[in-house]
Amino acid sequence: CKQTVTPREEWRMEPLELVPGRYIGEGQPCFVIAEIGQNHQGDIELAKTLIRKAKECGADCVKLQMSSLPDKFNKQALNRPYISEHAWGETYGEHKKHLGFTRDHLEELQEYAKQLDIPLTASAMDIPTLYVLHELQVPFIKVGSGDVHNLPLLRTAAACSKPLVISTGMSDIAWVSQVYEELTILNDPPTPLVFLQCTSAYPTPPEQTHLRVLDTYAQMFPHAHIGYSGHELGIHVTIAAVARGARVVERHMTLNRNWKGSDHSCSLEPHDLRELIRAIRSVEAALGSPLKAFQPCEEACFAKLGKTLVAARKIQAGQMLEEGDLVAKVAEPRGIPAQRLDSLIGGYLNRDVEEDESIMEADVL
C-alpha cells in the first residue's frame, strides 16, 4: 500500500467520499451499511440474495467479513473443540472455514454487487486479508472491534490511502484517543477516518449502548466522522443514533433471525432494514435547519387560529393606547397580529373603535 499526499487542512475541511459519488459529512445523508458478515452461512448464492435484498431496502453499501485463518488464529485456537448450537464443525477452525469465503468468492460477489449498483466491501481481520481487499479496490476498509487494538493492522490499513471505518467496541476512550492520534495527528497525510460507537454484545442491552458517546467522539475527535455500529434488537436505538449525529450506521442483516449462527438473532430481516432506512430518511428530513422559522405548512393553521389585536373596550380616536385597551383573539376580519402589541402601546388610532372590534393597519396613526 502506498500513500498519496492530501493537504491536511484541505482533507479535514471536506466531506468524505466513502464510496464513489457518495459523501458523508455535514449536510449529507447518513450512510447505511448492511452488514452481511457471515450470515450467508458459507453459501455464496445466499450471500447474493442478501446483497440483492440490501439493495432493494435502500442500503448504501453491503459488507462481508474476511480473514486468513492461520493469520487471525493460532493453531490451538483453531483446533479447540467448538461445542455450540451455532457450530458448523467440530473444531473452531472447521466452523470458521465453513463460513469463510475465498478471494475468488469475493471477486464474484463484487461483480454481482456491481451489476446491482451497490458498493461492496469487507472487514479485514488480518494483514494478508487487508492486502487482498486493497488489491480488489474495495472503496473503504472496515476494521471491526476485534481489531481496534491491533496497531500493526491499523497502521498497514492507514497506508492504503483508503478511508478507514473503525468500530470501537471492547475499548475505552483512552485507547480510542490513542488510535485517533496515531491515524490523524501523527500520520501525514491524516487517514480519512470514521469511528463507530459500538458495544460488542449480541444482542446489546439498551442500557449498555451509550449513544452519548457519539457526542464525546464528536467533541474529542474533530477530524474523524462519527457513526454507530449496532447489535441491539430492533431499530429504535439506531434511529436515535442518527438523530444524535451518526453519519454512518451499520447493522447486520439476515433472511431469518432464527437461523443457526450467533449474529442472526440481533440482525435485521429485510422488512426491518427497509423500515430502518425509511425511518432514518424521515428523521434526517425532520432534523432540518437549526434556524427556527415560520413554515409554509403552518399557513393553514395560522389562518384558522392566528390571533389578532382587538379592542378590549371602546377606544376613541386620538386616545393614547394602553396595554389594557387591547386583547388578542381569533377575530374576523384579520387585523394586526398579536405579536405587535408592544409596538402599538403609546400610539393612537385615527378612528373610534368599538369593543371587540379588530384593529386594522389603516386604523393606526
Side-chain angles (χ1 to χ4, degrees):
C1 300
K2 184 180 179 181
Q3 290 182 317
T4 57
V5 175
T6 303
R8 184 179 298 267
E9 293 297 323
E10 179 181 340
W11 170 79
R12 74 183 186 185
M13 294 300 292
E14 294 294 324
L16 174 60
E17 188 176 20
L18 201 53
V19 301
R22 181 66 163 84
Y23 291 79
I24 62 171
E26 189 68 30
Q28 301 293 329
C30 180
F31 188 90
V32 180
I33 302 172
E35 163 71 292
I36 294 172
Q38 296 183 328
N39 282 351
H40 49 68
Q41 314 292 67
D43 183 335
I44 194 166
E45 293 305 317
L46 179 53
K48 290 179 179 179
T49 299
L50 286 164
I51 292 170
R52 177 171 53 82
K53 291 293 185 181
K55 171 66 176 181
E56 292 171 355
C57 291
D60 294 295
C61 180
V62 289
K63 189 181 79 65
L64 301 166
Q65 296 175 3
M66 283 196 71
S67 61
S68 167
L69 295 185
D71 294 286
K72 182 180 178 182
F73 304 98
N74 71 0
K75 292 180 181 179
Q76 189 170 346
L78 290 173
N79 290 331
R80 70 176 172 86
Y82 191 43
I83 302 172
S84 167
E85 60 181 335
H86 302 303
W88 292 95
E90 293 184 2
T91 66
Y92 196 64
E94 291 173 353
H95 167 77
K96 297 299 288 186
K97 184 176 181 180
H98 175 85
L99 294 173
F101 280 158
T102 65
R103 175 182 177 137
D104 289 343
H105 288 141
L106 187 60
E107 286 187 276
E108 182 177 344
L109 293 174
Q110 265 190 316
E111 181 58 32
Y112 182 74
K114 183 178 180 180
Q115 293 172 11
L116 296 178
D117 192 28
I118 183 170
L120 181 145
T121 190
S123 294
M125 297 181 172
D126 49 75
I127 290 176
T129 298
L130 174 64
Y131 287 140
V132 169
L133 296 178
H134 181 67
E135 291 167 3
L136 293 178
Q137 299 182 357
V138 297
F140 64 88
I141 299 293
K142 172 66 194 298
V143 177
S145 295
D147 284 297
V148 70
H149 302 97
N150 189 343
L151 285 177
L153 177 65
L154 292 172
R155 288 166 178 158
T156 305
C160 290
S161 299
K162 295 180 185 293
L164 294 189
V165 178
I166 303 176
S167 287
T168 59
M170 299 182 287
S171 58
D172 58 22
I173 194 63
W175 180 257
V176 178
S177 298
Q178 184 172 334
V179 171
Y180 175 77
E181 182 176 5
E182 175 87 27
L183 297 179
T184 58
I185 298 171
L186 300 179
N187 204 30
D188 193 11
T191 302
L193 184 62
V194 181
F195 275 150
L196 304 183
Q197 161 60 356
C198 177
T199 301
S200 298
Y202 303 80
T204 304
E207 65 275 12
Q208 296 185 52
T209 301
H210 301 298
L211 292 182
R212 287 192 176 94
V213 171
L214 293 167
D215 303 336
T216 303
Y217 282 3
Q219 292 167 7
M220 293 185 63
F221 310 132
H223 309 318
H225 293 278
I226 306 305
Y228 173 70
S229 178
H231 306 116
E232 75 279 0
L233 300 178
I235 65 175
H236 299 90
V237 173
T238 302
I239 296 168
V242 175
R244 203 147 193 114
R247 294 176 175 176
V248 176
V249 296
E250 175 185 77
R251 287 297 302 270
H252 286 257
M253 70 173 300
T254 182
L255 297 184
N256 189 328
R257 277 192 294 270
N258 296 316
W259 276 354
K260 178 179 175 179
S262 57
D263 287 346
H264 290 286
S265 65
C266 61
S267 298
L268 301 179
E269 294 178 359
H271 67 278
D272 300 311
L273 181 60
R274 184 178 292 108
E275 176 60 18
L276 172 64
I277 295 172
R278 186 204 65 78
I280 286 173
R281 302 306 174 216
S282 179
V283 166
E284 287 173 334
L287 287 172
S289 168
L291 177 65
K292 176 61 179 173
F294 184 91
Q295 298 301 309
C297 65
E298 296 178 302
E299 290 284 0
C301 189
F302 185 71
K304 181 179 180 182
L305 299 176
K307 299 293 178 63
T308 285
L309 292 174
V310 303
R313 49 183 172 255
K314 185 173 181 178
I315 305 171
Q316 300 288 337
Q319 172 189 332
M320 188 174 72
L321 294 173
E322 299 176 358
E323 185 169 344
D325 293 326
L326 303 172
V327 66
K329 291 186 178 183
V330 176
E332 293 293 340
R334 293 291 291 274
I336 295 176
Q339 61 263 39
R340 286 179 53 192
L341 172 65
D342 287 348
S343 70
L344 268 61
I345 302 304
Y348 304 89
L349 302 183
N350 59 20
R351 72 176 180 92
D352 294 344
V353 177
E354 299 297 325
E355 181 180 350
D356 213 37
E357 188 177 351
S358 298
I359 309 297
M360 310 302 291
E361 292 284 354
D363 299 334
V364 180
L365 288 175

